[in-house]
Short mmCIF file of all heavy atoms in Angstrom, two decimals:
data_model
loop_
_atom_site.label_atom_id
_atom_site.label_comp_id
_atom_site.label_asym_id
_atom_site.label_seq_id
_atom_site.Cartn_x
_atom_site.Cartn_y
_atom_site.Cartn_z
N SER A 16 -42.74 67.59 149.08
CA SER A 16 -41.76 66.72 149.73
C SER A 16 -40.40 67.40 149.84
O SER A 16 -39.75 67.37 150.89
CB SER A 16 -41.63 65.42 148.93
OG SER A 16 -40.63 64.59 149.48
N VAL A 17 -39.96 68.03 148.75
CA VAL A 17 -38.68 68.73 148.76
C VAL A 17 -38.70 69.88 149.75
O VAL A 17 -37.75 70.09 150.52
CB VAL A 17 -38.34 69.23 147.33
CG1 VAL A 17 -37.17 70.19 147.34
CG2 VAL A 17 -38.05 68.05 146.41
N TRP A 18 -39.79 70.63 149.72
CA TRP A 18 -39.92 71.78 150.62
C TRP A 18 -39.87 71.33 152.08
O TRP A 18 -39.17 71.91 152.91
CB TRP A 18 -41.22 72.51 150.33
CG TRP A 18 -41.55 73.59 151.31
CD1 TRP A 18 -42.48 73.55 152.30
CD2 TRP A 18 -40.93 74.88 151.42
NE1 TRP A 18 -42.49 74.73 153.01
CE2 TRP A 18 -41.54 75.56 152.48
CE3 TRP A 18 -39.91 75.52 150.71
CZ2 TRP A 18 -41.18 76.84 152.86
CZ3 TRP A 18 -39.55 76.80 151.09
CH2 TRP A 18 -40.18 77.45 152.14
N SER A 19 -40.60 70.26 152.42
CA SER A 19 -40.63 69.77 153.79
C SER A 19 -39.25 69.29 154.22
O SER A 19 -38.82 69.54 155.35
CB SER A 19 -41.65 68.62 153.92
OG SER A 19 -42.96 69.08 153.65
N ALA A 20 -38.54 68.59 153.32
CA ALA A 20 -37.19 68.13 153.65
C ALA A 20 -36.25 69.30 153.87
O ALA A 20 -35.41 69.28 154.78
CB ALA A 20 -36.67 67.23 152.52
N GLY A 21 -36.39 70.33 153.05
CA GLY A 21 -35.54 71.51 153.22
C GLY A 21 -35.80 72.24 154.53
O GLY A 21 -34.87 72.64 155.23
N MET A 22 -37.06 72.40 154.87
CA MET A 22 -37.39 73.07 156.12
C MET A 22 -36.91 72.25 157.32
O MET A 22 -36.42 72.80 158.31
CB MET A 22 -38.89 73.32 156.20
CG MET A 22 -39.40 74.34 155.19
SD MET A 22 -38.70 76.00 155.44
CE MET A 22 -39.65 76.54 156.88
N ALA A 23 -37.02 70.92 157.23
CA ALA A 23 -36.54 70.07 158.31
C ALA A 23 -35.03 70.20 158.46
O ALA A 23 -34.50 70.24 159.58
CB ALA A 23 -36.92 68.62 158.04
N ARG A 24 -34.34 70.30 157.33
CA ARG A 24 -32.89 70.46 157.37
C ARG A 24 -32.51 71.80 157.99
O ARG A 24 -31.58 71.90 158.78
CB ARG A 24 -32.32 70.33 155.97
CG ARG A 24 -30.81 70.37 155.92
CD ARG A 24 -30.29 69.93 154.57
NE ARG A 24 -28.85 69.79 154.59
CZ ARG A 24 -28.16 69.24 153.61
NH1 ARG A 24 -28.78 68.77 152.56
NH2 ARG A 24 -26.85 69.17 153.70
N MET A 25 -33.23 72.84 157.61
CA MET A 25 -32.98 74.16 158.20
C MET A 25 -33.21 74.13 159.71
O MET A 25 -32.41 74.65 160.49
CB MET A 25 -33.89 75.20 157.55
CG MET A 25 -33.56 75.53 156.12
SD MET A 25 -32.16 76.66 155.96
CE MET A 25 -32.90 78.18 156.59
N THR A 26 -34.30 73.52 160.13
CA THR A 26 -34.64 73.48 161.55
C THR A 26 -33.60 72.70 162.33
O THR A 26 -33.12 73.15 163.39
CB THR A 26 -36.04 72.86 161.75
OG1 THR A 26 -37.01 73.64 161.03
CG2 THR A 26 -36.42 72.82 163.22
N SER A 27 -33.22 71.51 161.83
CA SER A 27 -32.24 70.70 162.55
C SER A 27 -30.87 71.36 162.56
O SER A 27 -30.04 71.09 163.43
CB SER A 27 -32.15 69.30 161.92
OG SER A 27 -31.66 69.38 160.59
N GLY A 28 -30.61 72.24 161.57
CA GLY A 28 -29.34 72.95 161.52
C GLY A 28 -29.30 74.18 162.38
O GLY A 28 -28.31 74.91 162.39
N GLY A 29 -30.39 74.44 163.11
CA GLY A 29 -30.40 75.57 164.04
C GLY A 29 -30.79 76.90 163.42
O GLY A 29 -30.44 77.95 163.95
N ALA A 30 -31.52 76.88 162.31
CA ALA A 30 -31.94 78.13 161.68
C ALA A 30 -32.82 78.93 162.63
O ALA A 30 -33.64 78.37 163.36
CB ALA A 30 -32.68 77.85 160.38
N ALA A 31 -32.68 80.24 162.60
CA ALA A 31 -33.48 81.11 163.44
C ALA A 31 -34.93 81.12 162.98
O ALA A 31 -35.21 80.93 161.79
CB ALA A 31 -32.92 82.53 163.41
N ALA A 32 -35.84 81.36 163.91
CA ALA A 32 -37.26 81.40 163.57
C ALA A 32 -37.54 82.45 162.51
O ALA A 32 -38.38 82.24 161.62
CB ALA A 32 -38.09 81.67 164.83
N ALA A 33 -36.84 83.59 162.58
CA ALA A 33 -37.06 84.66 161.59
C ALA A 33 -36.66 84.19 160.19
O ALA A 33 -37.32 84.54 159.20
CB ALA A 33 -36.26 85.90 161.97
N ASP A 34 -35.59 83.38 160.08
CA ASP A 34 -35.17 82.87 158.78
C ASP A 34 -36.20 81.89 158.23
O ASP A 34 -36.50 81.89 157.02
CB ASP A 34 -33.82 82.18 158.90
CG ASP A 34 -32.69 83.16 159.17
OD1 ASP A 34 -32.87 84.36 158.89
OD2 ASP A 34 -31.63 82.73 159.67
N LEU A 35 -36.76 81.04 159.09
CA LEU A 35 -37.78 80.10 158.65
C LEU A 35 -39.04 80.84 158.20
O LEU A 35 -39.67 80.47 157.21
CB LEU A 35 -38.10 79.12 159.77
CG LEU A 35 -36.95 78.19 160.20
CD1 LEU A 35 -37.37 77.36 161.41
CD2 LEU A 35 -36.52 77.29 159.06
N ASP A 36 -39.38 81.89 158.94
CA ASP A 36 -40.55 82.69 158.56
C ASP A 36 -40.33 83.34 157.20
O ASP A 36 -41.27 83.44 156.38
CB ASP A 36 -40.83 83.76 159.61
CG ASP A 36 -41.41 83.17 160.89
OD1 ASP A 36 -41.90 82.02 160.86
OD2 ASP A 36 -41.38 83.87 161.93
N LEU A 37 -39.10 83.78 156.93
CA LEU A 37 -38.79 84.40 155.64
C LEU A 37 -38.96 83.40 154.50
O LEU A 37 -39.55 83.72 153.46
CB LEU A 37 -37.36 84.94 155.65
CG LEU A 37 -36.84 85.54 154.33
CD1 LEU A 37 -37.70 86.70 153.88
CD2 LEU A 37 -35.39 85.96 154.47
N LEU A 38 -38.49 82.18 154.71
CA LEU A 38 -38.63 81.16 153.68
C LEU A 38 -40.09 80.82 153.44
O LEU A 38 -40.52 80.62 152.29
CB LEU A 38 -37.86 79.90 154.08
CG LEU A 38 -36.33 80.02 154.04
CD1 LEU A 38 -35.69 78.74 154.58
CD2 LEU A 38 -35.84 80.30 152.63
N ARG A 39 -40.88 80.78 154.50
CA ARG A 39 -42.32 80.51 154.34
C ARG A 39 -42.98 81.64 153.55
O ARG A 39 -43.84 81.39 152.69
CB ARG A 39 -42.97 80.34 155.70
CG ARG A 39 -42.53 79.09 156.47
CD ARG A 39 -43.34 78.90 157.73
NE ARG A 39 -42.85 77.79 158.53
CZ ARG A 39 -42.04 77.93 159.59
NH1 ARG A 39 -41.68 79.14 159.98
NH2 ARG A 39 -41.63 76.87 160.26
N ALA A 40 -42.58 82.87 153.85
CA ALA A 40 -43.16 84.00 153.12
C ALA A 40 -42.78 83.95 151.64
O ALA A 40 -43.60 84.24 150.76
CB ALA A 40 -42.68 85.32 153.75
N GLU A 41 -41.55 83.55 151.35
CA GLU A 41 -41.11 83.44 149.97
C GLU A 41 -41.87 82.33 149.24
O GLU A 41 -42.21 82.46 148.05
CB GLU A 41 -39.61 83.21 149.91
CG GLU A 41 -38.81 84.46 150.32
CD GLU A 41 -37.32 84.20 150.41
OE1 GLU A 41 -36.93 83.02 150.55
OE2 GLU A 41 -36.56 85.17 150.37
N GLN A 42 -42.15 81.25 149.96
CA GLN A 42 -42.92 80.17 149.34
C GLN A 42 -44.35 80.63 149.03
O GLN A 42 -44.90 80.31 147.97
CB GLN A 42 -42.95 78.94 150.26
CG GLN A 42 -43.68 77.74 149.69
CD GLN A 42 -43.00 77.13 148.47
OE1 GLN A 42 -41.92 77.56 148.07
NE2 GLN A 42 -43.63 76.12 147.88
N ARG A 43 -44.93 81.40 149.94
CA ARG A 43 -46.27 81.94 149.65
C ARG A 43 -46.21 82.87 148.44
O ARG A 43 -47.15 82.91 147.62
CB ARG A 43 -46.81 82.68 150.88
CG ARG A 43 -47.19 81.76 152.04
CD ARG A 43 -47.99 82.50 153.10
NE ARG A 43 -47.23 83.57 153.73
CZ ARG A 43 -46.47 83.40 154.81
NH1 ARG A 43 -46.38 82.20 155.38
NH2 ARG A 43 -45.83 84.42 155.34
N GLY A 44 -45.12 83.62 148.32
CA GLY A 44 -44.96 84.49 147.16
C GLY A 44 -44.86 83.68 145.87
O GLY A 44 -45.43 84.07 144.84
N TRP A 45 -44.16 82.54 145.93
CA TRP A 45 -44.09 81.68 144.75
C TRP A 45 -45.48 81.16 144.36
O TRP A 45 -45.82 81.11 143.18
CB TRP A 45 -43.16 80.49 144.99
CG TRP A 45 -43.22 79.54 143.83
CD1 TRP A 45 -42.56 79.65 142.65
CD2 TRP A 45 -44.06 78.39 143.71
NE1 TRP A 45 -42.92 78.63 141.80
CE2 TRP A 45 -43.85 77.84 142.43
CE3 TRP A 45 -44.97 77.77 144.57
CZ2 TRP A 45 -44.50 76.71 141.99
CZ3 TRP A 45 -45.63 76.63 144.13
CH2 TRP A 45 -45.40 76.11 142.86
N ILE A 46 -46.27 80.76 145.35
CA ILE A 46 -47.62 80.27 145.07
C ILE A 46 -48.42 81.34 144.33
O ILE A 46 -49.14 81.05 143.35
CB ILE A 46 -48.33 79.84 146.36
CG1 ILE A 46 -47.66 78.59 146.93
CG2 ILE A 46 -49.83 79.59 146.12
CD1 ILE A 46 -48.14 78.20 148.32
N GLY A 47 -48.29 82.59 144.76
CA GLY A 47 -48.97 83.68 144.06
C GLY A 47 -48.50 83.80 142.63
O GLY A 47 -49.30 84.01 141.71
#
């Protein structure tokens, strides 16, 4: 829930696609 809210906030704030991809990659790293 927190992650989804954060990504929604980033997207609505105009974050670049590359920045969103970086955050997703970091989240996958955390899962590992």
Side-chain angles (χ1 to χ4, degrees):
S16 176
V17 168
W18 172 256
S19 297
M22 292 297 284
R24 185 167 188 170
M25 290 281 290
T26 301
S27 64
D34 290 339
L35 296 175
D36 287 343
L37 176 60
L38 289 175
R39 293 187 185 99
E41 289 174 339
Q42 182 67 4
R43 289 192 296 271
W45 173 82
I46 291 171

